[in-house]
Amino acid sequence: MPTEKHKQSDREIVMAYISTLPDKHMKDIYQILTERYDIHKAKYVLLNREGVQAKAPEGKVRLRPYQMERLIKGYGEQGFHRLVEIFYDYLKYLEENTECVLNGRRKLKELSVISHYHILGKGWVAEKYFRENPQVSVVEDQLDYIDFFDIDSKTKAIEFIRQTPVELRYDNQDIVYLVDKYNIDIDKEV
């Protein structure tokens, strides 16, 4: 009599897959899962090409309020608007050319659910901005900001939380992650 193989549930398959990944990818996975599936979804500001808050479909660039504030402080108003403009144009291009761009539909879908902060502040958009404006440099204060993906200790986690304005800490999934991971008591340690 043949034995029936145990079928894994979807949850077991996902957990098994995640358990095979190195720890360095866990922040990415946490952020992706909370941004897409968390009960209390992160609050995003959608921006149009001019960097002004707008509803979809005009609002395409996704940032959390504290991320927007950090980019403005670091790049200035004009720099911030140029960063948004560059990325907005890319998203618009993807929408109009999904059939021509390799994996265009998949890229567009992925970009529609995540924050664009890292792409704008340190990714290819920032690189393009600096190529266009070699005379410009990021404000020194911005260099001191700790990026969520660079946090590897309780001290850095506390500093990241301190750098986030109090009014923007509520319902902030990055801060929830750090508080849980490093066992931080916000009332006493921040």
Side-chain angles (χ1 to χ4, degrees):
M1 174 183 250
T3 60
E4 218 175 290
K5 287 187 175 181
H6 170 72
K7 290 185 180 179
Q8 289 185 324
S9 69
D10 292 340
R11 179 181 305 275
E12 290 171 322
I13 292 169
V14 170
M15 290 174 65
Y17 176 71
I18 289 173
S19 70
T20 66
L21 298 173
D23 283 346
K24 68 181 182 179
H25 297 302
M26 292 304 119
K27 284 182 190 172
D28 291 330
I29 292 168
Y30 175 82
Q31 191 174 49
I32 291 166
L33 290 173
T34 57
E35 285 178 350
R36 183 137 187 196
Y37 299 108
D38 194 52
I39 295 170
H40 305 289
K41 284 197 174 200
K43 307 275 188 279
Y44 283 99
V45 176
L46 295 178
L47 304 170
N48 64 16
R49 189 173 190 275
E50 289 75 39
V52 177
Q53 192 169 347
K55 292 183 179 180
E58 272 309 301
K60 296 182 188 319
V61 179
R62 297 167 54 90
L63 293 170
R64 294 180 184 161
Y66 81 91
Q67 294 170 334
M68 192 168 117
E69 185 176 306
R70 283 183 172 191
L71 288 171
I72 291 170
K73 280 183 181 176
Y75 289 86
E77 284 283 338
Q78 288 182 335
F80 171 74
H81 288 289
R82 181 62 186 136
L83 292 170
V84 170
E85 188 177 272
I86 291 167
F87 195 61
Y88 184 94
D89 289 347
Y90 172 72
L91 292 172
K92 187 95 169 146
Y93 173 80
L94 274 181
E95 288 175 352
E96 294 170 354
N97 298 288
T98 52
E99 303 304 321
C100 304
V101 176
L102 181 64
N103 298 317
R105 194 174 309 280
R106 181 186 53 80
K107 286 178 187 175
L108 198 56
K109 186 175 180 180
E110 288 173 2
L111 290 169
S112 72
V113 295
I114 64 167
S115 167
H116 301 141
Y117 176 72
H118 199 70
I119 297 167
L120 294 172
K122 295 187 178 183
W124 68 265
V125 174
E127 290 172 10
K128 180 174 181 170
Y129 173 78
F130 287 122
R131 277 195 309 274
E132 290 176 355
N133 304 284
Q135 76 286 2
V136 174
S137 64
V138 177
V139 174
E140 288 301 314
D141 288 349
Q142 177 69 15
L143 297 176
D144 293 335
Y145 278 135
I146 295 173
D147 186 77
F148 177 74
F149 292 100
D150 295 335
I151 298 170
D152 58 4
S153 68
K154 185 173 184 174
T155 305
K156 285 184 181 178
I158 290 171
E159 187 58 32
F160 176 86
I161 295 169
R162 285 183 181 146
Q163 290 174 348
T164 304
V166 175
E167 66 274 10
L168 300 177
R169 293 179 190 168
Y170 175 75
D171 210 18
N172 181 324
Q173 293 305 313
D174 294 348
I175 291 176
V176 170
Y177 173 85
L178 296 171
V179 166
D180 290 343
K181 178 174 175 96
Y182 295 105
N183 197 23
I184 298 171
D185 184 340
I186 289 186
D187 295 329
K188 293 180 182 173
E189 297 179 271
V190 177

